[in-house]
């Protein structure tokens, strides 16, 4: 794992790098204590931040310039590059946030600018929890600079309701680096943060940190957690086990496997604290109940002959197939003991792939119970070349990250789908990196000293912060045992440490709930922000035409989240009532002392208050959702009222236009009469034009003398010609109207999938007359219209077909078919026949699947037949084809259980004649149909030819061809 150095801080010691065995622990402790006393004597700060949100920098005494190391100077110079103090009221303050600062410190360690250690630590980036390589020594030096008034600190609250800190160099800090920092050290920092004369910016993008300028960009490795080789055995406290249960597995015989393997650590580690015989308990809280425990036991096969097995989180979505494929990384589970409704104890061994050269034997004990407490237990057999003894906290921090992530994967494969949904909602989909609580138990620590001396604000405390988070308190529990608390858990060290397992388990259970409650509370803040944004959208709905669908979708999703949160809070409240172990106070002195130090009762009382408070907040959020939904409904009603007013206005305009058209139609009729008269008179004028014809001899003999010379005779002739011409004009107009007055239409709502490529080929063979598109963010609809030219397929008609389909998702939405025909003649085509022929053509062209086309064609319809019989589509939508000799087109009659007489009646009805006129019926080519037996042998689609007495209608039918609409 690299060269190991011993000492409080390598940059503050003149002794150099020495082996661990060559250092006297007492001298190390003395040097650290002297530095700690000097720092405490010069720095008496009660709170890191004042009431204005600025980091308090008021000190009783100023630190001397000799206190600041070169790491301090370079860190101060780095802050000066990214911050600026406004000199006038028109300037803006510039600060650097803490998270980018930590990224830059890590990059500085990698590039040998800073002499720090780093270890993976959990940090929240926006709403995502990420493991970053954080230098606790760098954070400590940042705190030193703030306390020394060289850097100012600013508290900010993000839109995700996370508290962040920003830093700005002070004038005294600028003066110090100008006096103390050599040019060669400045150049190292410049090389770190400047590329091509531009300052690097730290950007979080696509779940990674980027260092970029306008012309340069590279990815930081700060999120790449380093791996170490280790061997662990499963462990669960005796208080969680049943008496007489099976003995847990041990991997002690495999401890040496990690000694010969490698790690991916890129830094040289400075070991200050080591611990021996380490046992780790990791706790979290997940919504559970009696039914969930039963489901878990059934999934594990707890009552079966072959219990446990391998598990994966993948859902089998094709359970009837012969084979299945799962990704690498399975979990082997074996049952220890269980109660079907109360708890389950299992051993889980992880088989996740690791980098080449890394050996990680992960074997956990897992305890799940009805109140939702989850405990992961393990005993460390070896880490790298250390077997049981002298385990480095640097390596332990990397081990804990692996255990946290892998334990989340294990539970993901064991939880129900509903539990996974609850966790996804709480952690916004980032369940793999959810935070957990650590309880680290060890028999010995090196160096051994009183508890308070570990919190030295320097090397010892920095080392502890790698595994405990921000350290809080340290207490002696007796002559040999100590406990140190932090934001991420506790460390209990001493020969009697495992005797306090009931207190530690109570603390672990409550602290896990406390962490979960904190995440739930953050989720409530996000819901509150969502509702505020929704209210703003409602207030400005007229500015965005898509606002109403967005508002309704947001309210629907928020309402679903509120329902899940109510369920989670109910689980939390019931868990506090069901778990009796958290109420028991220890009777022995050391146990009660630990109970008081860990503030178990305080955490319990706080949880009751916080859960009750969140229920009030959630109730308010539900009322807010109801109010916003009513406002959205009001807006929708207002829009509908406006639409109705517009429709009413348009209807009035249309009615007025219809009245105008009616008057114009009357006037047009009068004008037609006048036009007919004018035409008649013009014809007479052409025949008897006074300037030419009437002066000829033949005109006098045949026109003037017989007709015009007699009184009123020519007038009567003129009126008769007028009448004849008018009658002819009206007959011609009536015939033209009759040709298009009859209409056959059929509208089909399809909503079936289609092959768009086959549809393009199909439409390329049609005479498309119009195309229209309509697209939005959800759909892209296309409307296409054409007129069929194959009159033989459509009984002599030319139907107009309009199709609407979704080109984005490949769905046929609707079809509209229209045929214009003579109104005075019976139709030769039925709407059902049009539908059947069209969708059959789509199926033959490969546009629709056969099953989908058949479903559209076979939509059941009913018609009333003789004696009240209901005939379904199987009887009525299949036809016989009938024609008379010489007729080009077929006519269709329903196929069914007709007798010979009924068949003649159907044919007579179709051809508008009497049944007695149907003389003979032949099945093509020349098979006579003469009785009921012949009729019963007919099949759907049979072509019949009939001889009808005195029938000539087919001649006119052959001559007419309907015009397209």
């Amino acid at each position: 794992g690299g060269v190991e150095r011993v000492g409080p801080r390598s940059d503050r010691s003149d002794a150099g790098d020495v082996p661990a065995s060559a250092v006297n622990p007492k001298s190390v402790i003395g040097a650290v204590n002297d530095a700690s006393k000097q720092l405490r004597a010069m720095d008496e700060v009660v709170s890191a931040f004042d009431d204005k949100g600025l980091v308090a920098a008021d000190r009783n005494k100023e630190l001397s310039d000799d206190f600041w190391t070169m790491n301090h100077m370079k860190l101060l110079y780095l802050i000066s590059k990214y911050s600026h103090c406004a000199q006038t009221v028109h300037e803006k303050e510039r600060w650097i946030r803490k998270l980018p600062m930590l990224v830059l410190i890590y990059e500085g360690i990698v590039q040998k600018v800073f002499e720090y250690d780093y270890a993976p630590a959990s940090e929240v980036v926006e709403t995502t929890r990420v493991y970053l390589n954080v230098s606790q020594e760098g954070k400590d030096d940042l705190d030193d600079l703030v306390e020394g008034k060289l850097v100012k600190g600013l508290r900010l609250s993000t839109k995700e309701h996370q508290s962040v800190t920003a830093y700005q160099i002070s004038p005294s800090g600028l003066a110090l680096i100008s006096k103390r920092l050599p040019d060669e050290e400045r150049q190292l920092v410049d090389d770190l943060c400047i590329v091509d004369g531009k300052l690097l910016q730290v950007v979080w993008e696509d779940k990674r940190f980027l260092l970029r300028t306008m012309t340069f960009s590279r990815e930081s490795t700060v999120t790449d957690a380093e791996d170490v080789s280790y061997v662990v055995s499963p462990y669960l406290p005796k208080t969680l086990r049943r008496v007489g249960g099976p003995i847990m597995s041990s991997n002690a015989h495999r401890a040496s496997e990690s000694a010969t393997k490698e790690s991916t650590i890129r830094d040289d580690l400075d070991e200050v604290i080591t611990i021996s015989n380490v046992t780790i308990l990791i706790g979290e809280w997940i919504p559970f109940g009696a039914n969930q425990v039963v489901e878990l036991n059934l999934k594990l096969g707890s009552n079966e002959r072959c219990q446990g097995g391998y598990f994966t989180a993948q859902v089998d979505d094709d359970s009837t197939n012969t084979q299945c494929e799962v990704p690498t990384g399975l979990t082997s589970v074996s049952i220890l003991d269980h109660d079907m409704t109360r708890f389950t104890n299992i051993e889980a061994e992880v088989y996740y792939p690791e980098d080449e050269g890394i050996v990680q034997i992960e074997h956990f004990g897992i305890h799940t119970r009805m109140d939702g407490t989850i405990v992961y237990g393990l005993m460390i057999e070896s880490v790298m070349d250390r077997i049981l003894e002298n385990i480095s906290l640097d390596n332990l921090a990397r081990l804990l990250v692996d255990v946290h992530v892998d334990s989340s994967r294990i539970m993901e494969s064991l939880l129900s789908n509903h539990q996974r949904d609850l966790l996804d909602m709480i952690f916004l989909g980032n369940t793999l990196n959810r935070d957990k609580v650590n309880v680290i138990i060890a028999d010995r620590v090196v160096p051994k000293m009183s508890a308070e001396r570990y919190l030295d604000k320097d090397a010892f405390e920095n080392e502890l912060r790698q595994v405990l988070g921000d350290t809080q308190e340290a207490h002696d529990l007796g002559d040999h045992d100590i406990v140190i608390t932090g934001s991420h858990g506790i460390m209990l060290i001493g020969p009697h440490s495992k005797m306090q397992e009931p207190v530690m388990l109570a603390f672990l259970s409550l602290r896990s709930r406390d962490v979960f409650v904190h995440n739930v509370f953050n989720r409530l803040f996000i819901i509150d922000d969502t509702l505020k944004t929704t209210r703003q959208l409602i207030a400005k709905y007229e500015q965005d035409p898509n606002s109403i669908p967005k508002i309704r979708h947001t309210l629907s999703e928020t309402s679903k989240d509120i329902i899940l949160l109510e369920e989670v809070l109910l689980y939390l409240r019931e868990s506090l009532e069901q778990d009796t172990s958290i109420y028991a106070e220890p009777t022995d002195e050391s146990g009660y002392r630990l109970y008081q130090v860990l503030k178990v009762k305080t955490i319990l009382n706080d949880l009751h208050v916080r859960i009750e408070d969140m229920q009030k907040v959630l109730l308010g959020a539900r009322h807010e959702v109801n109010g916003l939904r009513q406002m959205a409904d009001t807006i929708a009603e207002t829009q509908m009222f406006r639409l109705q007013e517009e429709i009413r206005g348009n209807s009035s305009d249309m009615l007025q236009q219809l009245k105008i058209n009616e008057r114009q139609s009357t006037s047009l009729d009068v004008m037609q009469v006048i036009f007919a008269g004018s035409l008649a008179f013009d014809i007479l004028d052409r025949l008897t034009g006074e300037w030419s014809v009437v002066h000829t001899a033949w005109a006098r003999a045949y026109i003037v003398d017989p007709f015009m010379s007699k009184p009123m005779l020519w007038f009567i002739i003129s009126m008769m010609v007028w009448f004849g011409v008018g009658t002819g004009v009206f007959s011609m107009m009536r015939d033209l109207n009759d040709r298009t007055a009859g209409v056959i239409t059929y509208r089909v709502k399809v909503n079936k999938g289609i092959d768009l490529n086959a549809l393009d080929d199909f439409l390329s063979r049609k005479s498309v007359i119009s195309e229209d598109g309509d697209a939005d963010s959800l759909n892209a609809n296309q409307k296409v219209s054409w007129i069929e030219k194959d009159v033989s397929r459509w009984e002599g008609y030319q139907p107009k077909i309009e199709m609407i389909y979704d080109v984005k998702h490949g769905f046929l939405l609707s079809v509209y078919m229209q045929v214009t025909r003579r109104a005075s003649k019976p139709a030769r085509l039925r709407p059902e026949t049009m539908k059947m022929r069209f969708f059959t053509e789509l199926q033959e062209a490969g546009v629709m699947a056969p099953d989908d086309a058949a479903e559209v064609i076979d939509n059941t319809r009913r018609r009333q037949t003789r004696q009240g019989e209901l005939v379904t589509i199987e009887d009525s939508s299949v036809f016989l084809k009938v024609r008379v000799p010489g007729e080009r087109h077929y006519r269709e009659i329903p196929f069914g259980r007709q007798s010979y007489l009924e068949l003649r009646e159907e044919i007579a009805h179709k051809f508008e004649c009497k049944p007695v006129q149907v003389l003979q019926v032949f099945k093509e080519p020349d098979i006579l149909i003469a009785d009921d037996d012949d009729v019963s042998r007919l099949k759907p689609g049979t072509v019949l030819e009939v001889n009808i007495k005195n029938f000539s209608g087919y001649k006119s039918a052959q001559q007419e061809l309907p015009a397209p609409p």
Side-chain angles (χ1 to χ4, degrees):
V3 179
E4 298 177 351
R5 296 194 295 270
V6 177
R9 290 288 293 272
S10 60
D11 59 327
R12 297 184 189 175
S13 175
D14 297 330
D17 298 341
V18 294
S21 59
V23 176
N24 186 351
K26 294 183 179 180
S27 63
V28 173
I29 297 172
V32 172
N33 289 338
D34 291 340
S36 301
K37 290 177 181 179
Q38 180 185 3
L39 183 60
R40 290 172 182 170
M42 303 175 73
D43 182 16
E44 299 292 338
V45 179
V46 177
S47 174
F49 293 87
D50 60 19
D51 56 355
K52 296 181 180 179
L54 289 173
V55 176
D58 185 20
R59 303 169 58 91
N60 294 333
K61 295 182 180 180
E62 294 291 336
L63 290 173
S64 65
D65 291 348
D66 295 336
F67 174 80
W68 307 111
T69 65
M70 193 54 62
N71 279 334
H72 282 115
M73 294 295 101
K74 289 185 284 189
L75 196 58
L76 193 59
Y77 182 62
L78 180 62
I79 295 174
S80 70
K81 289 292 184 181
Y82 289 88
S83 62
H84 173 70
C85 182
Q87 303 299 320
T88 65
V89 294
H90 302 291
E91 288 186 276
K92 287 188 177 180
E93 298 276 346
R94 193 165 67 242
W95 303 70
I96 179 171
R97 295 181 178 87
K98 183 177 182 179
L99 197 57
M101 192 69 200
L102 295 178
V103 176
L104 290 172
I105 291 175
Y106 165 78
E107 293 294 330
I109 297 172
V110 174
Q111 298 182 27
K112 308 299 182 182
V113 177
F114 299 108
E115 297 179 4
Y116 294 145
D117 280 348
Y118 61 81
S122 177
E123 298 285 345
V124 177
V125 184
E126 293 182 344
T127 58
T128 305
R129 184 167 291 276
V130 183
Y131 286 104
L132 305 180
N133 291 320
V134 176
S135 172
Q136 299 297 336
E137 295 174 346
K139 292 176 64 176
D140 178 66
D141 281 357
L142 276 175
D143 294 338
D144 290 344
L145 293 174
V146 172
E147 291 179 348
K149 297 193 298 185
L150 302 180
V151 169
K152 293 184 287 186
L154 175 67
R155 284 286 192 184
L156 297 171
S157 182
T158 67
K159 63 179 181 180
E160 294 85 13
H161 299 283
Q162 301 292 335
S163 179
V164 299
T165 305
Y167 300 103
Q168 182 190 78
I169 191 168
S170 66
S172 58
L174 288 172
L176 182 63
I177 58 176
S178 64
K179 181 174 60 173
R180 289 282 310 277
L181 188 62
D183 292 340
E184 59 271 15
E185 300 294 341
R186 294 172 185 257
Q187 187 60 44
L188 289 176
V189 178
D190 290 339
D191 294 339
L192 168 66
C193 63
I194 297 177
V195 175
D196 297 332
K198 301 294 184 181
L199 197 63
L200 284 175
Q201 300 296 318
V202 180
V203 181
W204 173 253
E205 186 177 285
D206 296 331
K207 297 183 180 180
R208 57 181 182 170
F209 281 102
L210 299 177
L211 302 174
R212 66 165 52 155
T213 65
M214 297 296 293
T215 58
F216 171 83
S217 178
R218 70 175 177 88
E219 183 178 353
S220 174
T221 58
V222 70
T223 55
D224 297 341
E226 299 167 337
D227 291 325
V228 295
S229 297
Y230 58 85
V231 178
V232 298
S233 297
Y235 173 81
L236 285 178
K238 293 181 180 179
T239 55
L240 301 179
R241 297 292 311 279
R242 274 186 172 173
V243 178
I247 299 174
M248 302 191 72
S249 304
S250 174
N251 295 316
H253 61 287
R254 304 181 61 182
S256 60
E257 294 184 21
S258 67
T260 59
K261 298 303 179 181
E262 303 174 358
S263 72
T264 59
I265 298 176
R266 297 178 291 271
D267 186 32
D268 296 334
L269 302 181
D270 294 338
E271 290 188 1
V272 180
I273 298 177
T274 61
I275 54 179
S276 302
N277 296 327
V278 182
T279 301
I280 298 176
L281 298 177
I282 299 174
E284 67 171 332
W285 189 88
I286 296 177
F288 254 95
N291 291 318
Q292 300 288 358
V293 175
V294 171
E295 183 179 354
L296 176 60
N297 280 307
L298 292 176
K299 179 184 288 189
L300 295 173
S302 300
N303 290 331
E304 298 178 6
R305 177 181 177 182
C306 298
Q307 300 176 338
Y310 288 91
F311 289 85
T312 178
Q314 177 173 307
V315 177
D316 188 3
D317 55 1
D318 191 9
S319 58
T320 60
N321 202 355
T322 304
Q323 295 176 302
C324 66
E325 295 182 357
V326 297
T328 57
L330 300 177
T331 303
S332 175
V333 174
S334 59
I335 310 298
L336 293 175
D337 41 55
H338 73 284
D339 183 286
M340 285 300 293
T341 59
R342 299 183 64 82
F343 73 92
T344 304
N345 290 328
I346 62 176
E347 288 183 359
E349 188 168 5
V350 178
Y351 294 95
Y352 295 143
E354 303 292 346
D355 294 337
E356 185 178 357
I358 303 296
V359 171
Q360 293 182 350
I361 300 175
E362 296 180 271
H363 207 168
F364 304 156
I366 302 178
H367 169 78
T368 62
R369 63 175 183 244
M370 183 174 60
D371 61 71
T373 300
I374 312 295
V375 179
Y376 310 94
L378 53 106
M379 294 178 60
I380 298 180
E381 305 291 352
S382 64
V383 179
M384 300 300 291
D385 58 345
R386 309 290 178 85
I387 299 177
L388 292 179
E389 304 288 337
N390 299 322
I391 304 298
S392 167
L393 294 189
D394 295 280
N395 291 331
L396 185 62
R398 291 162 173 83
L399 183 149
L400 286 173
V401 170
D402 274 342
V403 173
H404 280 206
V405 174
D406 291 343
S407 61
S408 296
R409 289 176 178 170
I410 292 173
M411 288 308 299
E412 186 179 4
S413 62
L414 299 179
L415 295 175
S416 66
N417 290 333
H418 183 62
Q419 287 174 300
R420 285 196 287 265
D421 291 340
L422 291 175
L423 293 180
D424 284 338
M425 184 271 300
I426 295 295
F427 296 99
L428 300 175
N430 187 35
T431 58
L432 194 63
N433 294 334
R434 59 183 182 267
D435 42 348
K436 300 180 177 69
V437 182
N438 302 322
V439 173
I440 302 172
I441 307 170
D443 287 349
R444 295 187 305 278
V445 60
V446 176
K448 177 68 174 71
M449 50 188 176
S450 61
E452 62 178 8
R453 297 176 68 178
Y454 287 103
L455 302 187
D456 62 344
K457 295 187 179 181
D458 199 23
F460 291 127
E461 188 169 356
N462 292 338
E463 196 95 336
L464 291 170
R465 287 164 67 179
Q466 295 182 6
V467 294
L468 298 180
D470 293 332
T471 52
Q472 297 169 347
E473 297 178 359
H475 298 273
D476 292 307
L477 300 179
D479 295 335
H480 305 287
D481 297 342
I482 62 171
V483 61
I484 303 172
T485 64
S487 59
H488 295 165
I490 64 172
M491 179 181 291
L492 187 61
I493 303 173
H496 307 104
S497 55
K498 285 191 177 181
M499 297 176 60
Q500 308 303 332
E501 283 182 345
V503 180
M504 289 185 289
L505 289 174
F507 168 79
L508 192 64
S509 178
L510 289 173
R511 189 72 179 85
S512 300
R513 290 181 178 90
D514 183 69
V515 170
F516 194 86
V517 166
H518 178 73
N519 286 285
V520 172
F521 192 64
N522 288 339
R523 194 66 177 84
L524 287 175
F525 271 124
I526 295 175
I527 286 179
D528 183 63
D529 277 352
T530 302
L531 295 179
K532 288 180 181 178
T533 304
T534 305
R535 183 173 287 275
Q536 294 174 359
L537 286 175
I538 292 176
K540 302 176 181 179
Y541 76 94
E542 293 180 345
Q543 300 177 8
D544 184 2
N546 298 318
S547 59
I548 296 301
K550 289 180 182 178
I551 291 169
R552 287 179 170 170
H553 175 74
T554 302
L555 291 177
S556 175
E557 292 296 317
T558 305
S559 181
K560 182 186 72 173
D561 292 342
I562 289 176
I563 292 172
L564 295 179
L565 283 171
E566 289 175 339
E567 180 182 352
V568 167
L569 290 181
L570 186 60
Y571 274 121
L572 278 168
R573 189 177 64 183
E574 290 180 351
S575 73
L576 293 178
E577 298 171 356
Q578 295 169 353
D579 189 0
T580 58
S581 63
I582 57 180
Y583 294 94
E585 296 185 4
T587 56
D588 60 296
E589 182 179 353
S590 59
Y592 187 76
R593 168 68 173 159
L594 180 61
Y595 184 85
Q596 295 292 331
V597 168
L598 298 181
K599 303 175 182 178
V600 175
K601 193 170 184 179
T602 302
I603 298 175
L604 178 60
N605 294 333
D606 290 346
L607 282 173
H608 281 291
V609 174
R610 294 180 66 185
I611 292 173
E612 183 178 355
D613 179 67
M614 285 192 294
Q615 287 177 330
K616 299 175 185 177
V617 175
L618 203 56
L619 180 62
R622 175 168 288 282
H623 290 327
E624 178 72 3
V625 168
N626 294 334
L628 293 176
R629 185 174 284 118
Q630 291 178 0
M631 293 174 64
D633 293 341
T634 302
I635 293 173
E637 292 175 0
T638 302
Q639 291 180 334
M640 184 61 66
F641 177 76
R642 292 178 181 175
L643 180 61
Q644 291 175 353
E645 290 296 322
E646 293 177 359
I647 293 175
R648 184 178 303 165
N650 293 336
S651 300
S652 301
D653 295 340
M654 292 174 62
L655 181 61
Q656 188 68 24
Q657 188 64 37
L658 287 174
K659 292 179 179 179
I660 295 174
N661 292 339
E662 185 178 356
R663 291 195 296 268
Q664 291 177 348
S665 177
T666 305
S667 302
L668 182 61
D669 292 339
V670 174
M671 291 300 298
Q672 286 179 345
V673 174
I674 296 174
F675 168 75
S678 300
L679 180 61
F681 297 151
D682 286 342
I683 293 173
L684 290 177
D685 287 342
R686 291 297 94 191
L687 295 175
T688 62
E690 294 182 354
W691 62 88
S692 59
V693 179
V694 296
H695 297 296
T696 61
W698 67 269
R700 290 193 191 95
Y702 294 102
I703 298 176
V704 176
D705 294 338
F707 302 108
M708 299 181 66
S709 61
K710 294 181 174 55
M712 298 296 294
L713 181 59
W714 185 249
F715 175 76
I716 294 173
I717 292 173
S718 299
M719 295 297 105
M720 293 175 62
V721 173
W722 184 6
F723 178 78
V725 173
T727 302
V729 170
F730 276 105
S731 297
M732 182 181 67
M733 295 297 297
R734 186 166 55 249
D735 183 71
L736 292 176
N737 291 332
D738 182 68
R739 285 176 177 267
T740 59
V743 179
I744 303 174
T745 62
Y746 203 94
R747 189 181 301 274
V748 186
K749 188 174 182 179
V750 184
N751 292 335
K752 297 291 183 182
I754 57 174
D755 187 337
L756 294 175
N757 294 328
L759 179 62
D760 292 338
D761 295 338
F762 175 78
L763 294 177
S764 66
R765 300 190 294 270
K766 303 296 181 181
S767 301
V768 177
I769 58 176
S770 68
E771 290 186 76
D772 185 21
D774 181 16
D776 55 25
S777 60
L778 301 177
N779 304 99
N781 296 341
Q782 189 82 9
K783 182 169 68 175
V784 59
S785 303
W786 71 90
I787 296 176
E788 291 285 346
K789 300 299 183 182
D790 186 5
V791 294
S792 62
R793 185 180 182 88
W794 301 97
E795 306 293 345
Y797 297 132
Q798 289 182 299
K800 179 182 178 182
I801 299 178
E802 181 180 278
M803 175 190 294
I804 301 177
Y805 59 96
D806 188 345
V807 298
K808 185 175 182 179
H809 302 102
F811 267 78
L812 178 59
L813 304 179
S814 64
V815 173
Y816 177 71
M817 294 172 281
Q818 178 179 345
V819 170
T820 56
R821 62 176 184 84
R822 281 189 175 274
S824 59
K825 298 291 184 180
R828 299 190 299 273
L829 195 66
R830 295 186 176 184
E832 294 86 354
T833 307
M834 293 171 56
K835 177 187 71 172
M836 181 176 65
R837 292 185 178 180
F838 176 72
F839 284 100
T840 301
E841 184 179 6
L842 288 183
Q843 175 187 341
E844 293 172 351
V847 177
M848 292 185 68
D851 293 342
D852 291 339
E855 183 178 348
V856 175
I857 293 173
D858 296 339
N859 286 332
T860 301
R861 69 177 181 86
R862 295 177 182 269
R863 68 177 179 90
Q864 195 73 19
T865 60
R866 62 184 186 279
Q867 298 180 0
E869 179 186 359
L870 289 178
V871 181
T872 59
I873 188 167
E874 288 78 12
D875 301 321
S876 61
S877 66
V878 186
F879 304 92
L880 298 172
K881 298 181 179 180
V882 184
R883 69 178 181 182
V884 296
E887 189 175 28
R888 291 177 56 192
H889 310 298
Y890 297 103
R891 308 189 186 195
E892 295 178 342
I893 61 174
F895 172 82
R897 305 182 184 90
Q898 297 102 336
S899 64
Y900 179 72
L901 293 178
E902 291 172 340
L903 179 62
R904 290 181 61 190
E905 290 176 357
E906 290 281 355
I907 294 173
H909 175 74
K910 191 66 177 179
F911 286 89
E912 293 185 315
C913 63
K914 296 180 180 179
V916 295
Q917 292 181 264
V918 181
L919 302 179
Q920 292 176 313
V921 181
F922 291 90
K923 176 182 177 183
E924 287 189 342
D926 55 0
I927 300 175
L928 179 66
I929 305 298
D931 54 22
D932 294 346
D933 291 338
D934 293 335
V935 173
S936 65
R937 286 191 290 269
L938 295 178
K939 296 182 179 180
T942 302
V943 177
L944 302 179
E945 188 169 289
V946 296
N947 290 328
I948 300 178
K949 183 179 181 180
N950 299 328
F951 180 75
S952 58
Y954 69 91
K955 296 180 181 179
S956 60
Q958 288 177 330
Q959 297 172 357
E960 64 186 31
L961 185 65

